[in-house]
Amino acid sequence: MQPARRITLTDDVYAAVQALIMDHEVQPGARINIDALARRLAVSPTPVREALARLESDGLVSKTPLVGYTATPLLTRAQFEELVEMRLILEPTAAAKAAGAGLDAAELAGLRAEADLPGPEGAHAIATFTAQDARFHHTLAGLSGNRMLRDAVVRLRAHLHLFRLHFPAAHYGVSAREHHRIVDAVAAGDADASAAAMRDHLTAARDRHLPFFESR
């Protein structure tokens, strides 16, 4: 078992490197120098290697034998459309099942708290927003009662990839309001309305990202 301090350090380095990638301080496709990154974060190379291994499973970095790690390229338009298509298959179903699960007051309160999203202030705002957005979607999928469905939603790592594309100001505030419409429908026990609210949210989020591809 690892000492608590070591676990905390590893998690902190993982979060720091993830934020550097999300904020494009490590550019998409760029080589990652482990020693330089360790010096920047004032840690030894070991927690950096551990963080990069976790980020590889997230799909944010890739490792090439005898070469090392690089930040993965941004999604192409085709990959983006495929990701949205998968979310539209999975997440409205998860919302509908959560609505029919008879959630108690504590579960609904927890979901509503996750629906709120941070504003654009502060360091690593994109990474912070992304983490909170992911918690909402993953929590809702977990409340569906279907573990395989929840695992499929989590494995997409959709938020990590989408918000690296660009981060339109429209995401702030608007996404939280859309989240709360989903929660309201789930709290009312209305499966159809929950699925529709999730579908509307995903479609609107897709439309907010499309200008990135049109400007390339």
Side-chain angles (χ1 to χ4, degrees), residues 23 48 58 82 115 171 180 185:
D23 292 343
V48 174
D58 291 342
E82 289 174 356
H171 278 299
H180 280 286

Side-chain angles (χ1 to χ4, degrees), residues 150-186:
R150 188 263 180 191
D151 289 348
V153 170
V154 171
R155 279 197 301 271
L156 281 178
R157 302 283 195 259
H159 311 78
L160 296 174
H161 301 294
L162 287 178
F163 291 119
R164 275 207 309 158
L165 295 173
H166 79 289
F167 198 73
H171 278 299
Y172 291 115
V174 175
S175 289
R177 289 194 293 273
E178 293 168 356
H179 284 180
H180 280 286
R181 283 197 290 271
I182 297 167
V183 178
D184 289 343
V186 170

